[in-house]
Amino acid sequence: ERKARSIGDPDRLDGAVLGHALDHDPRAGLAAWEGVVGAATDTYRRGGGSAGSGSDQPVYVGIPIASNFAAFQAANAITAALIARQRDGLGQRIEVPLFDAMFTAIGARAMRVPFSNDPILDNTGFGVYLCADGRCVHFAPVAPRFMAWFVDAVGIAAWRAEGLFERTRLNTEPALVGELRRRLTILFAQRTALDWEALGDAIGVPMAVCRSMAEWAHTEHACASNTIVEVDDPQHGRMRLPGAAVRLSGAPAWIAAARRPLDADRDTGGFVRPRPLAVPTSNPSIKPATSALAGLRVLDLTQIWAGPTAGRALAEYGADVIKINSPHEPVMTHVDVNRGKRTILLDLATPQDLDVFWRLLDTADVVMQNFRFGAAERLGVGYEQVRLRHPDIIYASISAYGSGGPWRARRGYEVQGQAVAGAQDQFGGDAAAQRLPYEINDYGTGVLGAFAVLLAQHHRLRTGEGQHVEAALTYTATLHQSMHLQDFVGKEWTEPRGQNALGSGPLQRLYRASDGWFFLGARMSGLAALARIDALAGIADRAARAP
């Protein structure tokens, strides 16, 4: 996909623009497809391939991460610009380079800080395990209480005496980590993947089967929650594909229609808008550089990464974001996801701290939370409870599986989103499922959660109405897969997969050079340029003769 106009030498290989704003980055004229941006940002980690962990062969990721995040960021920027135009009558020019957008997906992994209090999750038993039926589950005991519940449920309390669950020791004793993982590997091999998933659901521990995309498209929860929807495609007939990535109570969650047939819209007369939206005339007292969300106050009750990322995105557009942390929960990657916010510790289970929240609410425009389903209501801060006091509030809920469907109360993190929607199965291939390099669902859901709030704010400026909006890890994970995730009669699942994958074809592929690996990104129209390389003379003729 081209995401920006190519500039410069018309004879070079065609592609998208890699760099920053066209007049600020020396690489602005460098042609770069999705794969080139992935190569430039360490997405294709070394160590994959048939040569094993000691190989220097990179592993291609079939999800177009940079393109997806650029699309998410562009949607946010457009909506923010519409909000600003509603206020001051000024349009804006927007740029979203793929390379820049990719760093939202990379997030804290690109940061260098002198210290960190974040838990080392890989030392806690966190990870993918092979089960009795040959399938995998991703087990995520992120909080110590999750491991405690799991230990009691499966009858391995005797392991406690050996220190196998002491996180301080696990962070300093590699042999202890190895022993914990060895025993868990044996344990998980004793039950089927679906049995483990059901146990996790019953005891409240995040655990999910690593499904294929084809299986996810027919999973009861995905369909019941409209994470997967059906449309009538003009070529393939009835088709399943990703549903809406955000939900707004003031608008239906729907896909407008299947793709249009070619040439269906040659008559442009139907494109005339009969009742154009009123746009205020330019206000000379407003400076063009005024932030789109200046004056908007957000109460951010979210934890971990996805929710706080949404709050951070709103702060970047000028909102006054007050981050409300619980004194009983760790504040993860604070230096990353809480940039630009003011912070306060409140225990909403206590009357005095809850009173502080209500006094803050009287000054706020937006509330964001990512409690487990039903928890906000039990604390007295659910949507209906909040809007009784503040009728025009924008209330954002961020969750793992969404508010509909049978899994709505399940706990889940980044890795559960990867697992259920097919990403880990795709990345692992025929071998065991593999976790993707970056937290694309956490950060992606954060950006899309901000998008939902921006849409609601644009609506409120026009109507005075607040509403309840929603984003979820599995909505985002499914959208990330949308390039491949369309299921219909006769569908062939031919997406690049596995730890030996190098690309999607000979012109979009990783190749070994004399000094390392590089990604070639070209179109068929670029074969003439490739042919000017001595060793590739005649490549266009050979390609034309290929079956």
Side-chain angles (χ1 to χ4, degrees):
E1 293 177 278
R2 295 185 66 191
K3 296 297 182 185
R5 176 175 61 89
S6 289
I7 59 176
D9 180 2
D11 293 328
R12 69 174 186 198
L13 300 180
D14 201 5
V17 174
L18 169 65
H20 295 196
L22 298 182
D23 56 349
H24 291 282
D25 194 285
R27 298 166 300 173
L30 177 62
W33 294 86
E34 166 73 32
V36 176
V37 177
T41 53
D42 196 32
T43 303
Y44 311 139
R45 303 280 175 81
R46 296 171 185 268
S50 57
S53 59
S55 171
D56 71 341
Q57 178 177 311
V59 184
Y60 179 72
V61 179
I63 295 173
I65 299 173
S67 295
N68 286 354
F69 271 84
F72 300 168
Q73 297 277 28
N76 282 13
I78 291 167
T79 312
L82 289 171
I83 290 170
R85 189 179 71 168
Q86 186 73 15
R87 178 191 62 212
D88 57 39
L90 294 172
Q92 300 190 50
R93 177 177 179 265
I94 295 167
E95 280 188 2
V96 186
L98 270 67
F99 185 74
D100 291 9
M102 187 65 202
F103 281 86
T104 300
I106 295 171
R109 293 184 180 275
M111 302 184 75
R112 296 291 182 268
V113 293
F115 63 88
S116 174
N117 293 322
D118 295 346
I120 304 173
L121 295 179
D122 290 344
N123 290 353
T124 66
F126 178 102
V128 174
Y129 291 91
L130 190 65
C131 302
D133 54 351
R135 304 186 69 188
C136 295
V137 294
H138 206 301
F139 175 47
V142 173
R145 66 182 183 277
F146 297 158
M147 182 61 91
W149 298 342
F150 178 79
V151 166
D152 292 339
V154 298
I156 54 173
W159 297 8
R160 288 193 176 101
E162 302 174 63
L164 289 171
F165 308 122
E166 295 179 22
R167 294 200 170 191
T168 302
R169 288 186 61 187
L170 289 167
N171 286 341
T172 58
E173 299 180 30
L176 195 65
V177 175
E179 178 62 15
L180 173 61
R181 188 161 293 276
R182 185 188 71 82
R183 294 194 193 183
L184 287 174
T185 299
I186 296 171
L187 178 68
F188 275 98
Q190 296 173 7
R191 303 189 193 186
T192 68
L194 286 171
D195 284 344
W196 284 116
E197 185 179 72
L199 175 66
D201 182 23
I203 64 176
V205 173
M207 191 150 32
V209 175
C210 299
R211 289 168 170 80
S212 68
M213 282 187 282
E215 185 180 6
W216 178 239
H218 292 267
T219 300
E220 179 187 3
H221 174 80
C223 299
S225 62
N226 288 326
T227 308
I228 295 289
V229 297
E230 291 191 10
V231 299
D232 289 311
D233 183 78
Q235 178 181 355
H236 299 297
R238 201 68 176 159
M239 172 188 284
R240 295 179 184 233
L241 73 173
V246 299
R247 313 294 169 85
L248 290 80
S249 62
W254 62 306
I255 300 297
R259 57 179 172 159
R260 297 281 286 167
L262 293 177
D263 293 328
D265 298 304
R266 283 189 177 274
D267 180 8
T268 57
F271 295 158
V272 177
R273 187 164 58 185
R275 289 182 296 174
L277 296 175
V279 177
T281 57
S282 179
N283 184 345
S285 67
I286 300 292
K287 295 182 179 180
T290 302
S291 298
L293 300 184
L296 191 83
R297 173 166 285 184
V298 179
L299 303 185
D300 181 358
L301 294 164
T302 63
Q303 304 292 332
I304 314 295
W305 280 348
T309 297
R312 183 189 71 188
L314 297 173
E316 288 168 351
Y317 282 113
D320 174 22
V321 181
I322 300 174
K323 180 69 172 68
I324 300 174
N325 291 308
S326 166
H328 307 298
E329 298 289 342
V331 182
M332 296 183 66
T333 55
H334 176 71
V335 71
D336 173 30
V337 294
N338 289 330
R339 297 196 311 265
K341 305 176 187 179
R342 296 189 285 168
T343 61
I344 185 172
L345 285 175
L346 291 179
D347 182 353
L348 298 183
T350 66
Q352 61 270 26
D353 284 13
L354 187 59
D355 180 64
V356 174
F357 169 80
W358 287 117
R359 283 187 280 135
L360 285 172
L361 179 71
D362 290 337
T363 71
D365 304 283
V366 178
V367 172
M368 300 172 51
Q369 60 87 11
N370 66 344
F371 298 118
R372 191 182 186 190
F373 185 82
E377 288 72 19
R378 289 193 295 273
L379 288 169
V381 296
Y383 173 57
E384 295 297 337
Q385 295 154 319
V386 166
R387 77 168 180 155
L388 282 175
R389 182 155 175 166
H390 199 327
D392 64 344
I393 195 74
I394 295 171
Y395 188 98
S397 298
I398 296 175
S399 63
Y401 296 103
S403 62
W407 295 2
R408 64 184 186 178
R410 287 189 182 184
R411 288 187 172 93
Y413 294 97
E414 164 72 31
V415 290
Q416 276 69 52
Q418 290 185 19
V420 299
Q424 292 185 351
D425 172 78
Q426 178 185 1
F427 194 48
D430 295 332
Q434 292 276 343
R435 180 182 177 182
L436 271 64
Y438 297 128
E439 283 70 31
I440 63 172
N441 298 320
D442 270 328
Y443 286 116
T445 301
V447 177
L448 289 170
F451 178 51
V453 172
L454 287 163
L455 289 172
Q457 172 64 2
H458 182 47
H459 175 80
R460 185 169 63 179
L461 288 174
R462 294 170 54 204
T463 66
E465 299 172 350
Q467 59 183 301
H468 189 184
V469 303
E470 180 188 0
L473 295 175
T474 49
Y475 299 167
T476 305
T478 307
L479 183 63
H480 272 311
Q481 298 280 61
S482 62
M483 188 168 75
H484 307 296
L485 209 169
Q486 310 105 32
D487 193 19
F488 49 86
V489 174
K491 163 78 174 188
E492 295 182 8
W493 299 89
T494 58
E495 71 281 357
R497 55 183 283 110
Q499 294 288 287
N500 286 312
L502 294 175
S504 59
L507 295 181
Q508 298 289 335
R509 186 184 187 276
L510 290 152
Y511 287 95
R512 186 191 295 273
S514 61
D515 60 348
W517 288 82
F518 72 97
F519 192 96
L520 171 68
R523 303 172 70 171
M524 292 296 289
S525 60
L527 288 176
L530 284 171
R532 292 199 291 269
I533 301 171
D534 290 343
L536 297 178
I539 189 173
D541 293 335
R542 292 198 295 274
R545 293 194 300 269

